Amino acid sequence: MKQDAFCGAVGVCEKLQDAGFEAYLVGGCVRDALLGVPPKDFDIAASARPDEIKKLFNKTAEVAPGEAYSVVVIGVG
């Protein structure tokens, strides 16, 4: 697993949690970590709405149809 990417994902969770939201690593990255396979990306489930996430992070972009599914991409690094 790329340590920088993992640390970035954990940092995103921590920033969300520090702002009072729930945030957890979920999905394939958790499975891959348990299997010892480097994750390709990191998914985070959070209680924050997209507009709240965008206020916390400088590098964000909604993914089409992101609004319908509340998907926001956060650039780390």
Side-chain angles (χ1 to χ4, degrees):
M1 171 180 344
K2 275 190 160 182
Q3 194 62 27
D4 290 345
F6 176 73
C7 290
V10 170
V12 168
C13 286
E14 288 173 342
K15 188 166 185 172
L16 286 162
Q17 291 167 347
D18 289 346
F21 300 107
E22 292 183 70
Y24 305 96
L25 292 171
V26 297
C29 66
V30 175
R31 177 204 60 228
D32 292 346
L34 291 171
L35 294 173
V37 176
K40 295 177 184 166
D41 59 16
F42 294 86
D43 296 321
I44 298 170
S47 61
R49 295 185 317 269
D51 61 310
E52 294 169 320
I53 293 170
K54 288 179 181 181
K55 288 179 186 176
L56 290 173
F57 298 93
N58 294 329
K59 300 178 188 176
T60 65
E62 284 195 34
V63 177
E67 193 170 318
Y69 298 102
S70 298
V71 175
V72 177
V73 174
I74 300 170
V76 178

